[in-house]
């Protein structure tokens, strides 16, 4: 059974810092991995999706990397801003399934002005 | 374009009452998902519909939970009778027809359910 773990559970940083969020998964036979952002009282917004054949994806100040063989992904946020404060979730789509996502419990990020 | 619409946004009810959560997927999407989010268990898939047909309901916790999708633009998740341990945020998500391996799901804002 696939398990997804995110460390740390919470992170507080001053504005302007570069930071890394970690995601690990137990079964490396994944189809892709996705990073989401969740704001309080709102749904999930997809940030980046990395196919299993890819090593990284970039969008603005965000960079996500994937090392499938070791079961790890990182989300790098450059020059953090208070508006980046949210919960960040990673989810893997397991190989052999065209719909099932397994989510981590998220990292609550607070960027202090 | 309107995203996934869920109603109500908040629901407070008493144990034993029936609760109905509603979802309108994005127009043109043919897959619909119901998830439950709790602090202890995180986000869990409850049921998955494709073309209005339930494909995987293995995540539905017990017979008190039921879901329907009578047409492509509407789905309900019903809990009868409700219990305090059902308190959670329930999300609906939809997805367009698969193309090129993209399976991105689009999430609604969720319904926060509190059962007293």
């Amino acid at each position: 059974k696939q398990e997804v773990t995110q460390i740390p559970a919470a992170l507080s940083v001053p504005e302007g810092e570069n930071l890394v969020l970690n995601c690990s998964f137990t079964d490396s036979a994944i189809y892709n991995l996705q990073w989401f952002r969740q704001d309080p009282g709102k749904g999930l917004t997809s940030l980046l999706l990395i196919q299993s054949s890819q090593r990284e994806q970039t969008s603005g100040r965000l960079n996500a990397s994937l090392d499938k063989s070791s079961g790890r992904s990182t989300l790098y946020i450059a020059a953090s801003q208070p508006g980046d404060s949210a919960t960040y979730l990673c989810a893997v789509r397991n190989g052999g399934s065209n719909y099932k996502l397994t989510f981590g419990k998220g990292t609550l990020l607070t960027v202090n002005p | 374009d309107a995203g996934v619409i869920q109603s109500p946004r908040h629901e407070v009810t008493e144990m034993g009452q029936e609760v109905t959560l509603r979802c309108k997927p994005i127009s043109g999407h043919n897959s619909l998902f119901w998830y439950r989010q709790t602090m202890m268990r995180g986000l869990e898939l409850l049921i998955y519909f494709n073309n209005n047909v339930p494909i995987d309901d293995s995540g539905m916790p017990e017979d008190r939970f039921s879901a329907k999708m009578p047409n492509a633009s509407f789905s309900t998740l019903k809990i009868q009778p409700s219990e305090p341990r059902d308190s959670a945020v329930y999300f609906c998500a939809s997805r367009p027809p698969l193309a090129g391996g993209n399976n991105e799901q689009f999430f609604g804002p969720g319904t926060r359910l509190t059962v007293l």
Side-chain angles (χ1 to χ4, degrees):
Chain A
K1 179 185 173 185
Q2 178 74 270
E3 292 183 3
V4 179
T5 303
Q6 291 186 245
I7 294 174
L11 179 64
S12 181
V13 300
E15 181 177 4
E17 268 204 11
N18 303 323
L19 59 99
V20 174
L21 307 181
N22 296 293
C23 173
S24 62
F25 44 95
T26 55
D27 184 351
S28 62
I30 66 170
Y31 191 84
N32 60 35
L33 182 144
Q34 202 164 356
W35 282 93
F36 292 87
R37 169 183 173 138
Q38 183 176 19
D39 292 283
K42 296 187 178 179
L44 280 65
T45 301
S46 179
L47 297 173
L48 291 164
L49 186 151
I50 311 177
Q51 301 292 351
S52 62
S53 59
Q54 298 175 321
R55 296 285 293 181
E56 64 180 310
Q57 282 286 339
T58 298
S59 175
R61 295 183 293 108
L62 305 179
N63 176 277
S65 68
L66 174 64
D67 184 342
K68 198 176 77 161
S69 61
S70 68
R72 295 183 182 182
S73 175
T74 61
L75 179 67
Y76 174 82
I77 302 177
S80 58
Q81 302 171 357
D84 295 329
S85 298
T87 297
Y88 291 80
L89 296 155
C90 83
V92 299
R93 175 179 154 190
N94 301 319
S97 170
N98 71 359
Y99 65 91
K100 195 168 183 70
L101 298 179
T102 303
F103 285 83
K105 292 185 179 179
T107 294
L108 175 61
L109 172 65
T110 303
V111 181
N112 301 301
Chain B
D1 285 343
V4 176
I5 299 172
Q6 290 187 247
S7 64
R9 295 294 311 277
H10 302 273
E11 177 82 21
V12 180
T13 190
E14 292 187 347
M15 182 174 62
Q17 296 298 306
E18 177 180 296
V19 175
T20 299
L21 311 181
R22 297 173 175 80
C23 175
K24 177 178 171 56
I26 294 172
S27 177
H29 288 194
N30 68 338
S31 292
L32 185 139
F33 308 82
W34 282 100
Y35 290 89
R36 179 171 66 177
Q37 186 178 39
T38 61
M39 290 290 290
M40 287 293 294
R41 301 174 68 92
L43 259 168
E44 301 174 290
L45 177 66
L46 299 178
I47 188 167
Y48 157 56
F49 290 89
N50 185 255
N51 294 323
N52 312 336
V53 177
I55 303 299
D56 182 356
D57 65 356
S58 61
M60 297 285 266
E62 47 197 278
D63 291 346
R64 298 183 298 105
F65 285 69
S66 63
K68 294 182 179 180
M69 191 164 187
N71 57 62
S73 60
F74 184 66
S75 177
T76 59
L77 178 67
K78 185 176 294 187
I79 308 172
Q80 166 63 18
S82 58
E83 297 182 3
R85 61 193 169 113
D86 302 330
S87 297
V89 181
Y90 291 81
F91 288 102
C92 176
S94 69
R95 186 184 71 183
L98 290 175
N102 187 3
N103 68 314
E104 185 174 351
Q105 298 177 21
F106 295 80
F107 284 74
T111 295
R112 181 174 294 278
L113 174 64
T114 302
V115 183
L116 303 174

